[in-house]
Amino acid sequence: MKKFYDYIIVGSGASGGALSYYLSRTGAKVLMLEAGKRYSSESFSSNEMHANANLMWGGGTEMNTNADQIFLRGKVVGGGTVINQCLLDRFDDVAYEDWRTQSNIKFHKLDMMNRHYDEVESHLSLYNMQKEDWNGNAELYAKGFDNLGFEWSPLRRGQANCNNDNDCIVCLGGCARKSKQSTLETFIPMAESNGMTLVSEFEVAEVIHGESFVTVQGNCKGQPTTYYGAKCILASGAIGTTKLLLKSQLQNKLPALGENFHCHPQWMSIAFFDDIIDSHKGYFQTLKSSDPRFRDWGFKLENVFAGPIAIALLKQGYGHDHQQFMQRYRNMACIEVAVRDQAAGKITLNNSGKVIIKKPLSDGDQQRANHGNRIVKDMFNSLGAYETMTSPMRIGLHLMGGCTIGENELTSVVNENFQVHGMKNLFIADSSTFPNAPGINPMLTILAMAHRASESILAESGQRTTQPNIATKEVVA
Ligand SMILES: Cc1cc2nc3c(=O)[nH]c(=O)nc-3n(C[C@H](O)[C@H](O)[C@H](O)COP(=O)(O)OP(=O)(O)OC[C@H]3O[C@@H](n4cnc5c(N)ncnc54)[C@H](O)[C@@H]3O)c2cc1C
């Protein structure tokens, strides 16, 4: 005998977290399965090396086939929202128009999405960065923009009680202050108080769609385990959800599965100054480029920094040169260029079930990167930097696509109700549904889309779960 749930959600990140709240508040029986471990503000490690190894898939070493692009994705209760910066922006008309052109989905319009943004924001503590929050790196960023005549503006972050001496350097390995608005601190506890069940360290290996329920098979701490759900919603992120559907042998039924993968490739440029900058102190990120020219050019710039291990990885080589580089950690300033990538990648599996990601850089994307990096160099030169280095390593933090939403079954994987084509009980609500790269931080839109998806899923269920405390049913395994 196995437990049967109204809804099984696979993944507990931005999308899974929000969904778990919106589905469980109807009184439905909701089960959330998460491959990563559950940590709390007290148990996160403050050691950067342990944080990377414990909280990310592959310890933060997943790469594309050319090994020139790294992908970071969370494997922990709260997913990417635990290890991210929680910079929260709404998409603009440009992003939605480009989505609608590709997807033909009517609600890909800012004025139709605003009520979903309003809803999810009502559960978040949001903070606009102030001048008193700037560290030395932010001061240089603003001055550099002013020198070159570009507009900048403050970033907005999801945080409750950071203060001026907040330590982003630790927070990226999990917030010890219960301040960062990860789903671990926001939607998941709300869902749990509605009765949602969360099973961590459960990696789902396969989903089997049926006409009346979905079978979800996986492995919990070495134990093969099966659950059944009237509906199953995949929220495992762009790579995780695509991998799961590929492992479930659905590629023949879904010709677009694995296509359209995007990642906003980022380059970090380090500049060295004679003065101490201490970019590692206080807020890492406070300012963004708001100049409309950057939107036209297809990239964005933010001030950024990272812990010593991540900074060390930006420079090639080893030995004395590398040591000299790191000895100047306190003299470094840093700006990132994130490109709105137009060339789509592709996710497949090899014969042993390992994810293979083809993500080449097209000439156009390379030109956008070169343009952005040249502006950063000009900025640092105008500020008196004595040396500037752009890391050759591309970093992918915003992983999107692979199971895109759209009208056409040949070019997309889910329909406008977030339902997998031809499978009425299987849904996808995460960043894998993004049709192309928006060029804007995605987390807030993932939360908002999850809210919209919850409405579609509840409507598909005939709202039968609006009564609280429906009894758990039992079915024969
Ligand atoms: C370092 C970093 C900084 C970032 N900064 C920002 C930022 O400031 N602003 C912003 O908007 N975005 C930021 N992002 C991106 C943002 O965090 C992601 O876009 C977002 O979390 C994706 O949401 P998701 O629900 O699609 O997937 P995720 O949040 O990745 O959640 C997916 C979850 O599913 C789990 N999972 C996967 N496969 C399985 C399986 N088979 N079985 C069970 N569980 C599974 C994973 O372990 C994970 O917990 C950042 C990302 C990183 C890595």
Side-chain angles (χ1 to χ4, degrees):
M1 302 286 276
K2 295 278 178 188
K3 290 245 170 83
F4 190 101
Y5 288 82
D6 294 315
Y7 301 107
I8 298 180
I9 301 171
V10 184
S12 65
S15 50
L19 264 174
S20 69
Y21 169 64
Y22 291 114
L23 296 178
S24 64
R25 76 175 177 179
T26 65
K29 282 277 170 197
V30 179
L31 171 69
M32 174 182 269
L33 301 172
E34 165 57 51
K37 284 190 185 163
R38 185 169 195 151
Y39 291 88
S40 69
S41 53
E42 289 88 33
S43 61
F44 285 124
S45 170
S46 58
N47 179 315
E48 190 187 2
M49 192 167 64
H50 296 159
N52 290 356
N54 293 340
L55 307 182
M56 291 187 206
W57 285 85
T61 59
E62 289 185 318
M63 304 208 81
N64 64 346
T65 45
N66 289 345
D68 52 10
Q69 163 92 55
I70 196 159
F71 305 107
L72 302 185
R73 57 177 179 127
K75 183 182 181 183
V76 56
V77 172
T81 71
V82 163
I83 57 166
N84 76 7
Q85 270 288 4
C86 214
L87 303 171
L88 298 177
D89 297 312
R90 294 187 183 198
F91 286 3
D92 59 10
D93 287 322
V94 175
Y96 279 116
E97 260 172 56
D98 287 351
W99 273 20
R100 212 169 54 253
T101 305
Q102 190 169 324
S103 66
N104 226 0
I105 296 291
K106 289 185 197 63
F107 67 77
H108 282 167
K109 268 189 123 185
L110 183 57
D111 59 7
M112 289 187 75
M113 283 302 299
N114 274 333
R115 75 178 178 87
H116 301 294
Y117 286 121
D118 290 345
E119 165 55 37
V120 293
E121 284 179 357
S122 74
H123 297 286
L124 299 172
S125 179
L126 298 166
Y127 179 74
N128 285 312
M129 291 294 162
Q130 307 293 315
K131 189 146 198 279
E132 56 266 27
D133 300 321
W134 292 7
N135 64 9
N137 195 28
E139 296 277 354
L140 288 170
Y141 180 99
K143 247 187 241 161
F145 265 63
D146 292 344
N147 288 349
L148 268 60
F150 291 122
E151 286 170 34
W152 51 267
S153 56
L155 282 163
R156 186 174 70 151
R157 197 161 184 258
Q159 60 176 57
N161 59 348
C162 299
N163 54 35
N164 245 352
D165 53 55
N166 108 79
D167 23 27
C168 284
I169 199 163
V170 179
C171 174
L172 289 183
C175 173
R177 294 170 190 255
K178 289 178 143 317
S179 175
K180 187 166 69 178
Q181 300 289 280
S182 65
T183 52
L184 178 67
E185 296 295 348
T186 54
F187 290 100
I188 291 175
M190 292 195 296
E192 287 181 317
S193 59
N194 289 335
M196 186 265 287
T197 305
L198 191 156
V199 179
S200 57
E201 297 178 70
F202 188 111
E203 183 167 351
V204 175
E206 190 178 8
V207 287
I208 305 167
H209 180 262
E211 277 306 296
S212 45
F213 61 91
V214 179
T215 303
V216 180
Q217 290 178 341
N219 201 300
C220 190
K221 298 177 191 161
Q223 282 298 316
T225 310
T226 303
Y227 289 104
Y228 303 90
K231 309 267 178 227
C232 173
I233 306 104
L234 305 184
S236 312
I239 296 176
T241 291
T242 307
K243 176 181 170 190
L244 187 48
L245 291 183
L246 288 166
K247 285 191 95 166
S248 305
Q249 309 282 338
L250 291 174
Q251 51 274 47
N252 292 338
K253 291 188 179 156
L254 302 167
L257 181 59
E259 304 285 347
N260 274 332
F261 174 71
H262 292 268
C263 67
H264 291 161
Q266 288 186 12
W267 284 258
M268 285 167 78
S269 289
I270 303 269
F272 294 94
F273 291 86
D274 289 323
D275 294 334
I276 297 288
I277 313 296
D278 276 348
S279 300
H280 64 292
K281 293 202 171 156
Y283 288 106
F284 278 173
Q285 298 203 261
T286 36
L287 300 171
K288 64 178 176 184
S289 49
S290 49
D291 198 298
R293 284 172 286 182
F294 286 88
R295 193 76 178 118
D296 288 345
W297 291 333
F299 53 82
K300 67 183 176 80
L301 268 53
E302 286 167 8
N303 69 312
V304 71
F305 208 62
I309 294 177
I311 293 292
L313 289 171
L314 296 176
K315 182 167 166 62
Q316 289 176 314
Y318 60 94
H320 187 248
D321 258 12
H322 207 278
Q323 193 180 43
Q324 292 252 301
F325 174 81
M326 286 309 291
Q327 270 169 352
R328 295 177 289 164
Y329 186 72
R330 296 189 64 194
N331 302 78
M332 294 176 182
C334 185
I335 296 178
E336 76 178 35
V337 172
V339 166
R340 188 179 182 205
D341 46 332
Q342 291 182 352
K346 183 170 171 139
I347 302 173
T348 53
L349 295 185
N350 69 10
N351 288 342
S352 48
K354 185 180 175 304
V355 170
I356 304 296
I357 304 169
K358 281 204 176 122
K359 186 66 177 89
L361 204 61
S362 69
D363 280 356
D365 289 338
Q366 182 68 65
Q367 281 169 18
R368 277 182 278 284
N370 292 348
H371 188 178
N373 286 326
R374 208 167 50 239
I375 289 173
V376 171
K377 196 165 185 185
D378 289 345
M379 263 180 218
F380 282 139
N381 286 342
S382 80
L383 294 162
Y386 67 84
E387 187 187 328
T388 306
M389 179 210 85
T390 299
S391 172
M393 186 171 67
R394 310 197 304 262
I395 307 166
L397 308 177
H398 303 165
L399 312 178
M400 303 162 286
C403 303
T404 51
I405 191 167
E407 237 191 0
N408 185 332
E409 298 194 5
L410 294 176
T411 56
S412 62
V413 172
V414 294
N415 65 21
E416 61 177 353
N417 293 324
F418 300 86
Q419 202 166 28
V420 176
H421 292 308
M423 292 173 222
K424 64 179 181 146
N425 297 320
L426 190 60
F427 296 79
I428 304 177
D430 59 26
S431 51
S432 70
T433 63
F434 280 23
N436 52 48
I440 298 173
N441 289 316
M443 176 175 157
L444 187 67
T445 300
I446 299 169
L447 297 172
M449 284 291 169
H451 177 247
R452 183 162 184 111
S454 73
E455 291 181 339
S456 298
I457 295 163
L458 290 169
E460 282 289 324
S461 308
Q463 297 283 352
R464 69 186 170 76
T465 52
T466 48
Q467 297 304 311
N469 297 327
I470 288 177
T472 302
K473 299 165 208 154
E474 302 281 331
V475 295
V476 179

